[in-house]
Amino acid sequence: MSHTNPKMVDVSTPYFVGYDKRLKAYHIRVYGFWRAACASTRFCWPAMVPGSGGHIGSKDVARLRFSDSVGFRKFAIRNGEVCGSTTFHRAKRLRSGSFDNAYAAVDDTTFVSYAENSSGHSGTCKRDTMPRVKLTWDGVTTTYWSDLKGKSFRYDVWFNPLPSRGRCYDRLYVHGGYTHTWGTSKDSWSAGVGFPWGFSVGVGGVSGTDQFTVWENTDGYPQDSMLTTPRVCHH
């Protein structure tokens, strides 16, 4: 298995947090992470040495897809690396039109987080699940451990229902998803809000063929199910 295999990522069932009185909007959250699925025990991003790290492709994308039209009121995205440190955190309030898909950037930048040889070690994060590579120079062999800035994510969306008739939906079905890119695939961010945010009618946000998109029930742990919300009404 490699990082191009959809089974190397796991997206949770989206979680209905509840109604936010301050924003007058409903709050949904989804989690996702890369699985240690390569060689049975290691993460699937490429092993790096100093100076060779970088994006695997363009930015990856966390997603929430709604069964009917909604308007977005706030987004928040958080990325974390293997040892749990936050590498990226953004939030934005807005008032969008009618859409059914929201997405936000996940940083797939790889970097060397730990190095070790007979003279000592340097770095802050080292786990057995990390990809690693050994290089020998002037008789000294150094092992490098590679981390990923977006190994995990938490994506929060606040929304208001926008039914074509009436004020309420008896329920909404919501999927959590993830798009991983490599090669020449490109991201597109929504006009007026820009990076790292996007929304669309239908699944959008990434163009090109070097990518995959999975949902909570089609990823490396397909036993997860979509979210069914309670009754939600426009405020």
Side-chain angles (χ1 to χ4, degrees):
M1 187 183 297
S2 75
H3 68 88
T4 64
N5 189 317
K7 299 303 180 183
M8 65 84 187
V9 68
D10 185 11
V11 180
S12 72
T13 295
Y15 173 63
F16 185 77
V17 180
Y19 181 70
D20 187 316
K21 292 182 180 179
R22 182 174 57 88
L23 292 175
K24 295 183 178 180
Y26 297 93
H27 181 189
I28 287 179
R29 174 178 295 159
V30 66
Y31 295 92
F33 58 90
W34 286 50
R35 301 171 61 237
C38 284
S40 301
T41 59
R42 294 187 185 177
F43 295 113
C44 297
W45 54 83
M48 296 293 165
V49 296
S52 67
H55 293 306
I56 298 172
S58 56
K59 290 286 193 296
D60 288 357
V61 169
R63 297 183 177 277
L64 282 169
R65 188 178 72 190
F66 296 78
S67 57
D68 286 289
S69 297
V70 299
F72 300 117
R73 295 295 176 263
K74 184 179 178 180
F75 296 141
I77 185 71
R78 185 182 298 272
N79 296 180
E81 47 85 69
V82 171
C83 290
S85 296
T86 297
T87 58
F88 183 75
H89 182 212
R90 295 287 188 278
K92 185 175 182 63
R93 294 179 65 169
L94 71 158
R95 297 186 69 86
S96 80
S98 179
F99 298 94
D100 58 19
N101 185 66
Y103 55 93
V106 178
D107 192 347
D108 68 345
T109 301
T110 58
F111 63 100
V112 173
S113 62
Y114 199 87
E116 186 175 70
N117 58 34
S118 57
S119 299
H121 60 82
S122 62
T124 59
C125 184
K126 171 188 173 184
R127 294 290 186 271
D128 289 341
T129 50
M130 286 179 170
R132 70 202 71 162
V133 64
K134 292 184 178 182
L135 291 180
T136 301
W137 182 259
D138 286 342
V140 177
T141 298
T142 302
T143 303
Y144 299 95
W145 282 259
S146 297
D147 204 342
L148 186 76
K149 291 185 177 181
K151 181 263 177 185
S152 61
F153 70 83
R154 189 185 82 186
Y155 182 35
D156 293 85
V157 170
W158 289 258
F159 73 93
N160 232 325
L162 294 176
S164 57
R165 297 180 62 182
R167 294 180 52 250
C168 302
Y169 294 126
D170 288 338
R171 68 191 65 81
L172 282 169
Y173 302 111
V174 186
H175 289 281
Y178 186 81
T179 298
H180 174 53
T181 69
W182 62 94
T184 58
S185 292
K186 299 295 183 182
D187 300 312
S188 59
W189 311 109
S190 293
V193 292
F195 176 83
W197 314 114
F199 38 81
S200 60
V201 176
V203 178
V206 179
S207 62
T209 58
D210 298 332
Q211 61 172 291
F212 65 73
T213 296
V214 292
W215 306 98
E216 77 288 325
N217 57 356
T218 63
D219 58 9
Y221 186 80
Q223 290 79 8
D224 289 327
S225 59
M226 65 181 176
L227 166 69
T228 303
T229 73
R231 181 178 173 87
V232 291
C233 297
H234 182 81
H235 292 83

